[in-house]
Amino acid sequence: QVQLVESGGGLVQPGGSLRLSCAASGSIFRVNFMGWYRQGPGKQRELVARIPSGGTTNYADSVKGRFTLSRDNAKNTVYLQMNSLKPEDTAVYYCNAHITDTARFARDYWGQGTQVTVSS
């Protein structure tokens, strides 16, 4: 089995910063992609940022220049540093990982979600 454990999130004022973390653990052979999606009130889930095991990070246009996704391959962990937060960044943020397990079966995994609220 594979698990994703998220941490971070909370309430922050506009212009503030938060950092989210997501660690993958369990029967992992290889972590292919890791990243974050979000779902705001009344909106569909959307990609925030995603990073492959070796390659270029993809960011949503709405977060470019403000959010930074980094990855620690040794720990199977990704970190989303969110700066200059705006009220429209308010959403439930979900960690996502595409993982090949020790049985060589690959699939997507999701975290339980963490709330980020940007409000004064």
PDB file of all heavy atoms in Angstrom, residues 100-118:
ATOM      1  N   THR A 100       4.748   4.099  -9.035  1.00  0.00           N
ATOM      2  CA  THR A 100       4.879   2.685  -9.381  1.00  0.00           C
ATOM      3  C   THR A 100       5.190   1.936  -8.094  1.00  0.00           C
ATOM      4  O   THR A 100       6.191   2.240  -7.435  1.00  0.00           O
ATOM      5  CB  THR A 100       5.991   2.473 -10.401  1.00  0.00           C
ATOM      6  OG1 THR A 100       5.712   3.248 -11.582  1.00  0.00           O
ATOM      7  CG2 THR A 100       6.102   1.005 -10.788  1.00  0.00           C
ATOM      8  N   ASP A 101       4.328   0.981  -7.746  1.00  0.00           N
ATOM      9  CA  ASP A 101       4.561   0.269  -6.484  1.00  0.00           C
ATOM     10  C   ASP A 101       5.521  -0.900  -6.695  1.00  0.00           C
ATOM     11  O   ASP A 101       6.015  -1.134  -7.809  1.00  0.00           O
ATOM     12  CB  ASP A 101       3.232  -0.178  -5.858  1.00  0.00           C
ATOM     13  CG  ASP A 101       2.481  -1.182  -6.705  1.00  0.00           C
ATOM     14  OD1 ASP A 101       3.104  -1.855  -7.554  1.00  0.00           O
ATOM     15  OD2 ASP A 101       1.251  -1.295  -6.521  1.00  0.00           O
ATOM     16  N   THR A 102       5.790  -1.627  -5.632  1.00  0.00           N
ATOM     17  CA  THR A 102       6.777  -2.700  -5.703  1.00  0.00           C
ATOM     18  C   THR A 102       6.306  -3.871  -6.557  1.00  0.00           C
ATOM     19  O   THR A 102       7.101  -4.729  -6.925  1.00  0.00           O
ATOM     20  CB  THR A 102       7.143  -3.181  -4.297  1.00  0.00           C
ATOM     21  OG1 THR A 102       5.941  -3.491  -3.586  1.00  0.00           O
ATOM     22  CG2 THR A 102       7.917  -2.103  -3.542  1.00  0.00           C
ATOM     23  N   ALA A 103       5.022  -3.903  -6.885  1.00  0.00           N
ATOM     24  CA  ALA A 103       4.510  -4.916  -7.809  1.00  0.00           C
ATOM     25  C   ALA A 103       4.571  -4.424  -9.253  1.00  0.00           C
ATOM     26  O   ALA A 103       4.061  -5.085 -10.160  1.00  0.00           O
ATOM     27  CB  ALA A 103       3.072  -5.279  -7.441  1.00  0.00           C
ATOM     28  N   ARG A 104       5.172  -3.220  -9.418  1.00  0.00           N
ATOM     29  CA  ARG A 104       5.354  -2.599 -10.736  1.00  0.00           C
ATOM     30  C   ARG A 104       4.030  -2.159 -11.335  1.00  0.00           C
ATOM     31  O   ARG A 104       3.914  -2.051 -12.554  1.00  0.00           O
ATOM     32  CB  ARG A 104       6.093  -3.527 -11.709  1.00  0.00           C
ATOM     33  CG  ARG A 104       7.463  -3.985 -11.241  1.00  0.00           C
ATOM     34  CD  ARG A 104       8.401  -2.836 -10.939  1.00  0.00           C
ATOM     35  NE  ARG A 104       9.766  -3.276 -10.710  1.00  0.00           N
ATOM     36  CZ  ARG A 104      10.279  -3.587  -9.532  1.00  0.00           C
ATOM     37  NH1 ARG A 104       9.515  -3.499  -8.437  1.00  0.00           N
ATOM     38  NH2 ARG A 104      11.548  -3.986  -9.434  1.00  0.00           N
ATOM     39  N   PHE A 105       3.060  -1.890 -10.468  1.00  0.00           N
ATOM     40  CA  PHE A 105       1.792  -1.352 -10.910  1.00  0.00           C
ATOM     41  C   PHE A 105       1.784   0.141 -10.637  1.00  0.00           C
ATOM     42  O   PHE A 105       2.062   0.573  -9.521  1.00  0.00           O
ATOM     43  CB  PHE A 105       0.638  -2.023 -10.166  1.00  0.00           C
ATOM     44  CG  PHE A 105      -0.722  -1.549 -10.590  1.00  0.00           C
ATOM     45  CD1 PHE A 105      -1.219  -1.854 -11.840  1.00  0.00           C
ATOM     46  CD2 PHE A 105      -1.491  -0.773  -9.737  1.00  0.00           C
ATOM     47  CE1 PHE A 105      -2.471  -1.408 -12.239  1.00  0.00           C
ATOM     48  CE2 PHE A 105      -2.740  -0.323 -10.123  1.00  0.00           C
ATOM     49  CZ  PHE A 105      -3.226  -0.636 -11.373  1.00  0.00           C
ATOM     50  N   ALA A 106       1.449   0.936 -11.670  1.00  0.00           N
ATOM     51  CA  ALA A 106       1.489   2.390 -11.549  1.00  0.00           C
ATOM     52  C   ALA A 106       0.079   2.969 -11.532  1.00  0.00           C
ATOM     53  O   ALA A 106      -0.775   2.564 -12.328  1.00  0.00           O
ATOM     54  CB  ALA A 106       2.279   2.994 -12.709  1.00  0.00           C
ATOM     55  N   ARG A 107      -0.114   3.917 -10.660  1.00  0.00           N
ATOM     56  CA  ARG A 107      -1.423   4.581 -10.574  1.00  0.00           C
ATOM     57  C   ARG A 107      -1.276   5.893  -9.826  1.00  0.00           C
ATOM     58  O   ARG A 107      -0.240   6.185  -9.226  1.00  0.00           O
ATOM     59  CB  ARG A 107      -2.453   3.712  -9.861  1.00  0.00           C
ATOM     60  CG  ARG A 107      -2.018   3.171  -8.516  1.00  0.00           C
ATOM     61  CD  ARG A 107      -3.169   2.780  -7.627  1.00  0.00           C
ATOM     62  NE  ARG A 107      -3.790   3.946  -6.991  1.00  0.00           N
ATOM     63  CZ  ARG A 107      -4.648   3.866  -5.993  1.00  0.00           C
ATOM     64  NH1 ARG A 107      -5.016   2.691  -5.534  1.00  0.00           N
ATOM     65  NH2 ARG A 107      -5.179   4.955  -5.465  1.00  0.00           N
ATOM     66  N   ASP A 108      -2.336   6.687  -9.856  1.00  0.00           N
ATOM     67  CA  ASP A 108      -2.391   7.947  -9.124  1.00  0.00           C
ATOM     68  C   ASP A 108      -2.856   7.707  -7.688  1.00  0.00           C
ATOM     69  O   ASP A 108      -3.733   6.875  -7.445  1.00  0.00           O
ATOM     70  CB  ASP A 108      -3.369   8.920  -9.786  1.00  0.00           C
ATOM     71  CG  ASP A 108      -2.727   9.708 -10.905  1.00  0.00           C
ATOM     72  OD1 ASP A 108      -1.527  10.038 -10.793  1.00  0.00           O
ATOM     73  OD2 ASP A 108      -3.422  10.014 -11.887  1.00  0.00           O
ATOM     74  N   TYR A 109      -2.275   8.482  -6.791  1.00  0.00           N
ATOM     75  CA  TYR A 109      -2.694   8.492  -5.394  1.00  0.00           C
ATOM     76  C   TYR A 109      -3.013   9.928  -4.995  1.00  0.00           C
ATOM     77  O   TYR A 109      -2.409  10.874  -5.522  1.00  0.00           O
ATOM     78  CB  TYR A 109      -1.602   7.941  -4.479  1.00  0.00           C
ATOM     79  CG  TYR A 109      -1.324   6.471  -4.672  1.00  0.00           C
ATOM     80  CD1 TYR A 109      -0.438   6.038  -5.653  1.00  0.00           C
ATOM     81  CD2 TYR A 109      -1.967   5.516  -3.885  1.00  0.00           C
ATOM     82  CE1 TYR A 109      -0.188   4.693  -5.841  1.00  0.00           C
ATOM     83  CE2 TYR A 109      -1.717   4.164  -4.069  1.00  0.00           C
ATOM     84  CZ  TYR A 109      -0.831   3.764  -5.050  1.00  0.00           C
ATOM     85  OH  TYR A 109      -0.592   2.426  -5.238  1.00  0.00           O
ATOM     86  N   TRP A 110      -3.938  10.056  -4.033  1.00  0.00           N
ATOM     87  CA  TRP A 110      -4.351  11.381  -3.571  1.00  0.00           C
ATOM     88  C   TRP A 110      -4.258  11.464  -2.054  1.00  0.00           C
ATOM     89  O   TRP A 110      -4.538  10.497  -1.347  1.00  0.00           O
ATOM     90  CB  TRP A 110      -5.800  11.663  -3.985  1.00  0.00           C
ATOM     91  CG  TRP A 110      -5.971  11.813  -5.463  1.00  0.00           C
ATOM     92  CD1 TRP A 110      -6.253  10.831  -6.360  1.00  0.00           C
ATOM     93  CD2 TRP A 110      -5.849  13.033  -6.208  1.00  0.00           C
ATOM     94  NE1 TRP A 110      -6.314  11.363  -7.632  1.00  0.00           N
ATOM     95  CE2 TRP A 110      -6.067  12.712  -7.560  1.00  0.00           C
ATOM     96  CE3 TRP A 110      -5.574  14.350  -5.871  1.00  0.00           C
ATOM     97  CZ2 TRP A 110      -6.030  13.670  -8.577  1.00  0.00           C
ATOM     98  CZ3 TRP A 110      -5.546  15.312  -6.869  1.00  0.00           C
ATOM     99  CH2 TRP A 110      -5.761  14.965  -8.210  1.00  0.00           C
ATOM    100  N   GLY A 111      -3.877  12.648  -1.581  1.00  0.00           N
ATOM    101  CA  GLY A 111      -3.936  12.908  -0.157  1.00  0.00           C
ATOM    102  C   GLY A 111      -5.351  13.251   0.261  1.00  0.00           C
ATOM    103  O   GLY A 111      -6.261  13.350  -0.562  1.00  0.00           O
ATOM    104  N   GLN A 112      -5.519  13.468   1.572  1.00  0.00           N
ATOM    105  CA  GLN A 112      -6.857  13.703   2.104  1.00  0.00           C
ATOM    106  C   GLN A 112      -7.310  15.149   1.914  1.00  0.00           C
ATOM    107  O   GLN A 112      -8.503  15.454   2.063  1.00  0.00           O
ATOM    108  CB  GLN A 112      -6.899  13.346   3.608  1.00  0.00           C
ATOM    109  CG  GLN A 112      -6.247  14.362   4.541  1.00  0.00           C
ATOM    110  CD  GLN A 112      -4.737  14.231   4.604  1.00  0.00           C
ATOM    111  OE1 GLN A 112      -4.122  13.459   3.872  1.00  0.00           O
ATOM    112  NE2 GLN A 112      -4.129  14.980   5.520  1.00  0.00           N
ATOM    113  N   GLY A 113      -6.390  16.022   1.569  1.00  0.00           N
ATOM    114  CA  GLY A 113      -6.728  17.426   1.363  1.00  0.00           C
ATOM    115  C   GLY A 113      -6.453  18.270   2.587  1.00  0.00           C
ATOM    116  O   GLY A 113      -6.643  17.814   3.726  1.00  0.00           O
ATOM    117  N   THR A 114      -5.987  19.478   2.358  1.00  0.00           N
ATOM    118  CA  THR A 114      -5.741  20.421   3.449  1.00  0.00           C
ATOM    119  C   THR A 114      -6.290  21.782   3.038  1.00  0.00           C
ATOM    120  O   THR A 114      -6.105  22.229   1.910  1.00  0.00           O
ATOM    121  CB  THR A 114      -4.244  20.494   3.798  1.00  0.00           C
ATOM    122  OG1 THR A 114      -4.056  21.329   4.941  1.00  0.00           O
ATOM    123  CG2 THR A 114      -3.400  21.013   2.642  1.00  0.00           C
ATOM    124  N   GLN A 115      -6.973  22.434   3.973  1.00  0.00           N
ATOM    125  CA  GLN A 115      -7.633  23.696   3.675  1.00  0.00           C
ATOM    126  C   GLN A 115      -6.647  24.850   3.754  1.00  0.00           C
ATOM    127  O   GLN A 115      -5.902  24.989   4.722  1.00  0.00           O
ATOM    128  CB  GLN A 115      -8.781  23.951   4.662  1.00  0.00           C
ATOM    129  CG  GLN A 115      -9.511  25.268   4.473  1.00  0.00           C
ATOM    130  CD  GLN A 115     -10.340  25.304   3.203  1.00  0.00           C
ATOM    131  OE1 GLN A 115     -11.058  24.362   2.893  1.00  0.00           O
ATOM    132  NE2 GLN A 115     -10.240  26.409   2.465  1.00  0.00           N
ATOM    133  N   VAL A 116      -6.675  25.684   2.730  1.00  0.00           N
ATOM    134  CA  VAL A 116      -5.934  26.946   2.728  1.00  0.00           C
ATOM    135  C   VAL A 116      -6.959  28.066   2.567  1.00  0.00           C
ATOM    136  O   VAL A 116      -7.725  28.076   1.596  1.00  0.00           O
ATOM    137  CB  VAL A 116      -4.910  27.005   1.590  1.00  0.00           C
ATOM    138  CG1 VAL A 116      -4.308  28.410   1.482  1.00  0.00           C
ATOM    139  CG2 VAL A 116      -3.817  25.970   1.810  1.00  0.00           C
ATOM    140  N   THR A 117      -6.986  28.974   3.529  1.00  0.00           N
ATOM    141  CA  THR A 117      -7.912  30.090   3.497  1.00  0.00           C
ATOM    142  C   THR A 117      -7.125  31.396   3.552  1.00  0.00           C
ATOM    143  O   THR A 117      -6.318  31.591   4.472  1.00  0.00           O
ATOM    144  CB  THR A 117      -8.902  30.034   4.667  1.00  0.00           C
ATOM    145  OG1 THR A 117      -9.631  28.802   4.621  1.00  0.00           O
ATOM    146  CG2 THR A 117      -9.888  31.200   4.601  1.00  0.00           C
ATOM    147  N   VAL A 118      -7.351  32.236   2.557  1.00  0.00           N
ATOM    148  CA  VAL A 118      -6.678  33.528   2.495  1.00  0.00           C
ATOM    149  C   VAL A 118      -7.732  34.607   2.720  1.00  0.00           C
ATOM    150  O   VAL A 118      -8.602  34.834   1.879  1.00  0.00           O
ATOM    151  CB  VAL A 118      -5.967  33.737   1.155  1.00  0.00           C
ATOM    152  CG1 VAL A 118      -5.175  35.051   1.181  1.00  0.00           C
ATOM    153  CG2 VAL A 118      -5.060  32.560   0.841  1.00  0.00           C
TER     154      VAL A 118
END
